[in-house]
Amino acid sequence: MKLVIATRNPHKLEEIKAIFDFKGLDVCTALDFPEIPDTVEDCDTLEGNAIKKAVELCQATGLTALADDSGLEVEALNDEPGVYSARWAGEGCTYADNNLKLLRELSGKDNRRARFRTVIALARPGKEPSCGGAKRKAKTATVEGVIEGVIAKALRGENGFGYDPLFIPEGYDQTFAELSTEEKNKISHRARALAEASKRWKHLWVGNFHH
Ligand code: IMP
């Protein structure tokens, strides 16, 4: 079975390959389909965006497609920035802008609890063949991965990206940006979602026929 992953980021593919059990799978990414436009991520939930990305890629390629969407949910901010994590401080903002906004929004607040959440969606071509230009059908399912933690009072560490210098995972003293990539990848929301996806959907490609 051929699986296409909805990313053009080679680092994401490497992280996925380190966790996912790909036995029985022929894997490619959106990089192999440069003619297919990127999905507009305009849904108001992580689930919505992950499903939209997977379905559009499944429909455009006719292949089973996997897509993820992640975000930081801060308890005292009603789970913001969530699905808006990338551009929270405004269109074209940097990671530093987002981190400064987070420190500002939490200043004076006692509750600094937060979690990173990743949703992974799988879209499989439907049974009905497409005809007359009608869109192909796709069957979808999702899994998620979560890491709980707290938001630090100041930026710490140089590794990683995004909100890593402010996120202290539960059971640790260091921020994600102070952990090595290997340590972070063992416990991260993405790693947990990928491990769950690999376990949940393996039967689709190892031939147990539990379709
Ligand atoms: P994406 O869905 O993986 O592109 O993540 C969307 C946004 O969430 C990123 O631009 C970051 O701001 C934030 N984010 C997701 N995962 C992480 C992480 O592991 N560390 C820090 N920030 C993250």
Side-chain angles (χ1 to χ4, degrees):
M1 187 176 115
K2 198 159 175 168
L3 178 78
V4 57
I5 297 170
T7 184
R8 297 189 203 273
N9 178 346
H11 300 295
K12 234 179 202 175
L13 181 63
E14 285 314 306
E15 192 184 345
I16 292 172
K17 276 185 173 163
I19 295 166
F20 221 77
D21 184 351
F22 280 122
K23 267 198 292 296
L25 265 182
D26 179 7
V27 183
C28 60
T29 70
L31 279 176
D32 298 305
F33 301 92
E35 71 286 1
I36 298 175
D38 282 334
T39 296
V40 180
E41 296 181 37
D42 55 2
C43 299
D44 57 9
T45 60
L46 298 174
E47 284 79 3
N49 277 339
I51 289 172
K52 187 176 179 194
K53 281 189 271 190
V55 167
E56 284 191 8
L57 195 57
C58 171
Q59 287 173 336
T61 60
L63 300 172
T64 297
L66 193 85
D68 72 323
D69 202 30
S70 303
L72 177 71
E73 299 176 342
V74 181
E75 226 175 71
L77 303 178
N78 298 319
D79 288 346
E80 275 204 41
V83 72
Y84 308 108
S85 292
R87 284 168 216 89
W88 195 37
E91 205 55 47
C93 67
T94 63
Y95 291 143
D97 297 331
N98 284 330
N99 283 323
L100 287 180
K101 176 168 178 174
L102 182 53
L103 285 175
R104 222 180 317 117
E105 299 266 337
L106 282 183
S107 77
K109 292 206 161 64
D110 291 333
N111 180 3
R112 302 184 74 89
R113 278 213 294 262
R115 79 187 70 83
F116 273 119
R117 199 158 71 88
T118 295
V119 175
I120 297 181
L122 185 81
R124 294 189 289 146
K127 296 267 189 281
E128 298 89 333
S130 67
C131 56
K135 281 211 163 164
R136 294 190 186 106
K137 298 206 170 183
K139 291 179 280 187
T140 63
T142 59
V143 294
E144 69 168 30
V146 170
I147 172 102
E148 302 282 348
V150 293
I151 302 301
K153 297 228 161 104
L155 295 146
R156 279 171 17 208
E158 305 292 330
N159 301 329
F161 70 100
Y163 300 91
D164 281 348
L166 284 179
F167 185 79
I168 305 172
E170 207 167 59
Y172 288 75
D173 295 323
Q174 302 103 312
T175 65
F176 259 173
E178 291 176 312
L179 297 179
S180 67
T181 308
E182 294 74 44
E183 284 173 299
K184 179 188 165 188
N185 286 350
K186 271 187 216 152
I187 58 168
S188 80
H189 44 308
R190 231 179 327 278
R192 288 175 175 177
L194 282 167
E196 180 63 23
S198 177
K199 195 172 86 186
R200 179 84 61 90
W201 296 323
K202 198 156 65 181
H203 68 274
L204 296 175
W205 40 87
V206 295
N208 287 338
F209 304 110
H210 291 171
H211 289 239

